[in-house]
Amino acid sequence: VTPSEGVRRGTGRILGMLESLLALGGLVLLRDSVEWEGRSLLKALVKKSALCGEQVHVLGCEVSEEEFREGFDSSINSRLVYHDLFRDPLSWSKPGKALPGGPLEALRALDKRTGSGPATIALDSLSWLLHHLPCPILCQTLHALSRQDSCPGDTLPGEQVRVLGLLHEELHGPGPLGALSSLAQTEVTLSGTMGQASAHILYRRPRQRPTLQTQWFSILPDFSLELQVEPLLESQPPSDLHTPSVDPTTHLTFNLHLSKKEREAKDSLTLPFQFSSEKQQALLRPGLGQATSHIFYEPDAYDDLDQEDPDDDLDV
Amino acid sequence: MFPELNNFNTTRAEQGKLTLLCDAKTDGSFLVHHFLSFYLKANCKVCFVALVQSFSHYNMVGQKLGVSLTTARERGQLVVLEGLKSAVDIFFRPREEPHPLQFLREANAGDLQPLYAFVRDTLEPVDCGEAAWRCPVLLVDDLSVLLSLGVGPVAVLDFVHYCRATVCREWKGNVVALVHDSGDAEDKESDVLLNGLSHQSHLILRVEGLATGFCKDVHGQLRILWRRPLQPTTPRDRSLTYQYKIQDKSVSFFAKGMSPAVL
């Protein structure tokens, strides 16, 4: 799908991007960076799921519940269940406010909660979980969570479980990133240019070749998504026709111009290393007026004054 | 405090924010002195985890900026954990007594829970009859030192996470921490720490040396980056860049290329 096709399709149905991200099911990986953050896209996807009537379970590790619910209206907030791993994830507080069992149990508990009906699980963030759980265990739990084991024929389309995972790319090495990437049905990498955010989306549909799509978008304050046109790269600077060009040679403290006499004198000057025919003659026939040069040599005490040519015995 | 820095609206009376100070190829400690004197003058209760310099150093600079750290400490407004002194003390105390820098005694530096406990106990709002301070503030100089002392980057991130959850979220206070960007591609731990902190921060003040090297009149460049705004706004509005020159009692800021020495 070329970018322009995607946009044309997108402008026809404004919410096409979010729907297509949610349609495939399984694990949707949102890879963000410090410069291009992904939490607003995560919240936009959460809002879309909630508006479709689904229950959304959020495992919140990085932001507080109030901050995550901010910007959502009450209809969405009522469908959102926030599992708080932010306040006391490692049980450091005296009166324990932690979820029992720590992060791993909290993650596994999500599996049991979403027993009936379609559901969306949002993990904010996978980076936090990856820092606190061993990678293989996290991958196994994610695999179980997104119900990859069951054959596509068994699960009814309505019972699909969708797992949205936010991952901060710069925090992990290629190993864990690759492992999570291979688990994902859909992978979204966020970047952008010139103030405009973009998403590179890789769809891994079963029994089809992976497809790559690029969408330019922006998230509105109410967490709905608006598609944008790809910004044109402007290589030439904006031309300023209205500013008069300034002559830099005015108001100088030194002279840039030559008078006629100065120019003649300059042209008639022979450069010292310029080889003209007169110079050639003068060199070949040293005139009487020219003094021959003498070399005065005072030998040192240890000098070897051998007049023989040292190269005589070379058989060349 | 440096009045010009306040003009950038970085230190409005915003509460519940994590501000990250980051320096690359230059010394960003002038920002630490700025925030320390700013919050003391704003009548906030400050917990200062000073791991890099001695108390008298900060006091001296503070006096140039118009605050007396000794007075603030005597009044109970300022609590300083002097890292250089405590690090030696810890080996001469009985092992059972908890110490904020407990990780120095352990073979595998575990987590920073004792340090967090120290911060929590210091800044916990108590209602007694005395004059209440304004919001609690935690200031750390600096976090990269903890990496050098053997603490893992995830442990430092967890410490900052808990400080954010307690000081920022629960008590509506502020946290300001300095971290160094080594610029070394080989130093993965420093990168993970810096990026992890950047993701957690609301505001990042990044101080960089000039790309062309040392200059007498322009000491460096300051980039102000707002993250995690309440509403998603375009990144275009979210970042500002200034150049600065540090003088004896103040820092002057100007737009790029507009240093008075150059104009």
Side-chain angles (χ1 to χ4, degrees):
Chain A
V1 179
T2 62
S4 54
E5 272 177 22
V7 171
R8 251 185 274 131
R9 219 187 286 164
T11 47
R13 301 185 315 149
I14 284 276
L15 304 171
M17 174 172 152
L18 290 178
E19 284 170 358
S20 49
L21 283 175
L22 294 172
L24 213 50
L27 175 64
V28 179
L29 200 61
L30 301 176
R31 298 165 64 138
D32 75 347
S33 56
V34 173
E35 211 187 327
W36 301 100
E37 58 91 27
R39 188 164 288 113
S40 25
L41 181 59
L42 179 70
K43 285 173 83 163
L45 287 167
V46 163
K47 176 180 168 170
K48 189 79 182 75
S49 300
L51 286 177
C52 293
E54 292 179 13
Q55 244 213 348
V56 182
H57 292 267
V58 180
L59 185 65
C61 317
E62 292 192 344
V63 295
S64 65
E65 186 169 353
E66 296 93 353
E67 194 174 333
F68 196 88
R69 287 186 186 271
E70 217 165 331
F72 289 149
D73 58 29
S74 53
S75 63
I76 299 169
N77 270 325
S78 59
R79 296 215 184 91
L80 211 144
V81 181
Y82 196 83
H83 305 267
D84 195 347
L85 265 188
F86 171 74
R87 267 191 316 175
D88 192 6
L90 307 171
S91 309
W92 283 5
S93 298
K94 293 290 171 47
K97 300 179 224 167
L99 294 179
L104 184 55
E105 281 314 307
L107 190 56
R108 287 189 175 140
L110 287 175
D111 202 3
K112 303 179 186 74
R113 278 178 217 267
T114 61
S116 58
T120 299
I121 298 173
L123 301 173
D124 177 12
S125 65
L126 272 176
S127 286
W128 193 95
L129 291 169
L130 204 52
H131 275 152
H132 293 87
L133 297 172
C135 184
I137 294 186
L138 177 62
C139 289
Q140 285 166 2
T141 316
L142 276 181
H143 192 88
L145 207 53
S146 47
R147 308 260 165 86
Q148 305 277 327
D149 296 332
S150 52
C151 314
D154 287 355
T155 48
L156 303 168
E159 279 184 14
Q160 268 187 337
V161 173
R162 223 172 281 116
V163 181
L164 310 171
L166 181 63
L167 188 66
H168 308 306
E169 279 191 310
E170 318 103 320
L171 301 183
H172 309 288
L177 282 180
L180 286 173
S181 168
S182 64
L183 279 179
Q185 307 304 108
T186 313
E187 207 174 319
V188 183
T189 306
L190 291 160
S191 65
T193 178
M194 297 190 333
Q196 189 57 57
S198 70
H200 302 280
I201 311 173
L202 180 68
Y203 295 99
R204 289 200 187 92
R205 296 187 178 87
R207 291 182 295 272
Q208 285 180 36
R209 284 174 60 205
T211 51
L212 186 59
Q213 189 186 18
T214 304
Q215 293 273 25
W216 299 84
F217 69 97
S218 61
I219 309 262
L220 303 175
D222 66 347
F223 294 105
S224 54
L225 187 126
E226 194 175 80
L227 289 174
Q228 305 286 338
V229 183
E230 181 174 349
L232 298 165
L233 295 167
E234 288 178 1
S235 47
Q236 61 270 35
S239 57
D240 43 350
L241 305 156
H242 39 272
T243 56
S245 55
V246 178
D247 185 10
T249 57
T250 51
H251 309 300
L252 290 172
T253 54
F254 47 88
N255 195 7
L256 267 187
H257 305 286
L258 294 171
S259 69
K260 194 156 177 266
K261 263 176 68 174
E262 287 168 341
R263 196 181 297 276
E264 281 168 11
K266 182 189 166 196
D267 289 340
S268 59
L269 185 65
T270 346
L271 295 172
F273 298 105
Q274 201 165 331
F275 205 63
S276 59
S277 53
E278 298 93 13
K279 221 170 187 179
Q280 189 181 20
Q281 297 306 314
L283 283 171
L284 287 175
R285 267 182 284 279
L288 294 165
Q290 291 177 347
T292 51
S293 52
H294 283 283
I295 296 174
F296 295 97
Y297 176 59
E298 189 85 6
D300 287 340
Y302 46 79
D303 264 354
D304 184 9
L305 290 175
D306 192 353
Q307 299 295 347
E308 271 181 18
D309 185 2
D311 292 333
D312 267 350
D313 55 358
L314 277 181
D315 193 7
V316 179
Chain B
M1 67 169 172
F2 306 121
E4 288 197 36
L5 189 49
N6 285 336
N7 294 340
F8 302 143
N9 277 342
T10 55
T11 41
R12 283 179 296 196
E14 281 197 30
Q15 296 191 335
K17 296 282 176 252
L18 167 63
T19 302
L20 184 68
L21 311 175
C22 167
D23 63 20
K25 287 195 212 153
T26 187
D27 183 15
S29 53
F30 71 95
L31 289 172
V32 173
H33 298 299
H34 161 82
F35 279 101
L36 180 60
S37 55
F38 173 77
Y39 281 118
L40 283 176
K41 281 188 186 167
N43 213 28
C44 297
K45 175 111 193 246
V46 177
C47 175
F48 186 21
V49 176
L51 300 172
V52 179
Q53 302 277 10
S54 65
F55 177 76
S56 48
H57 170 87
Y58 295 108
N59 196 19
M60 233 167 36
V61 179
Q63 276 171 357
K64 285 189 192 168
L65 300 179
V67 286
S68 164
L69 298 193
T70 353
T71 320
R73 193 157 68 163
E74 278 157 18
R75 285 194 302 182
Q77 187 190 9
L78 173 67
V79 176
V80 180
L81 172 66
E82 232 180 312
L84 294 171
K85 226 167 58 161
S86 323
V88 178
D89 282 344
I90 192 177
F91 293 102
F92 299 105
R93 290 155 63 110
R95 213 195 163 94
E96 302 77 36
E97 286 181 24
H99 190 278
L101 300 180
Q102 190 68 33
F103 63 88
L104 288 173
R105 284 199 85 148
E106 278 146 36
N108 311 319
D111 55 35
L112 293 172
Q113 187 182 356
L115 186 59
Y116 163 70
F118 168 79
V119 170
R120 187 192 55 214
D121 295 336
T122 309
L123 290 179
E124 187 149 19
V126 280
D127 353 271
C128 18
E130 62 185 41
W133 308 110
R134 280 178 66 191
C135 61
V137 172
L138 168 66
L139 187 56
V140 185
D141 179 20
D142 61 51
L143 289 172
S144 301
V145 153
L146 292 170
L147 283 186
S148 314
L149 291 172
V151 185
V154 178
V156 182
L157 287 175
D158 285 339
F159 165 70
V160 176
H161 174 111
Y162 264 88
C163 291
R164 201 163 46 98
T166 317
V167 178
C168 292
R169 199 68 230 172
E170 222 177 294
W171 299 333
K172 304 282 183 283
N174 290 325
V175 176
V176 180
L178 175 65
V179 73
H180 299 300
D181 183 1
S182 60
D184 186 6
E186 302 284 321
D187 195 349
K188 298 282 186 328
E189 290 195 339
S190 173
D191 275 347
V192 167
L193 178 62
L194 177 63
N195 287 320
L197 287 172
S198 304
H199 276 286
Q200 288 192 37
S201 314
H202 299 94
L203 176 67
I204 303 177
L205 296 180
R206 189 181 161 88
V207 167
E208 295 162 346
L210 294 177
T212 42
F214 176 74
C215 169
K216 202 172 51 122
D217 298 302
V218 179
H219 289 150
Q221 189 166 283
L222 172 70
R223 270 186 65 202
I224 307 174
L225 180 66
W226 282 271
R227 285 197 88 254
R228 302 205 6 219
L230 289 177
Q231 289 174 355
T233 51
T234 53
R236 235 187 314 254
D237 305 329
R238 285 199 282 160
S239 150
L240 287 174
T241 308
Y242 293 95
Q243 291 178 340
Y244 65 89
K245 175 176 178 179
I246 302 179
Q247 287 144 349
D248 186 41
K249 291 194 181 181
S250 67
V251 178
S252 57
F253 292 90
F254 33 87
K256 275 168 99 161
M258 303 291 277
S259 162
V262 171
L263 290 175

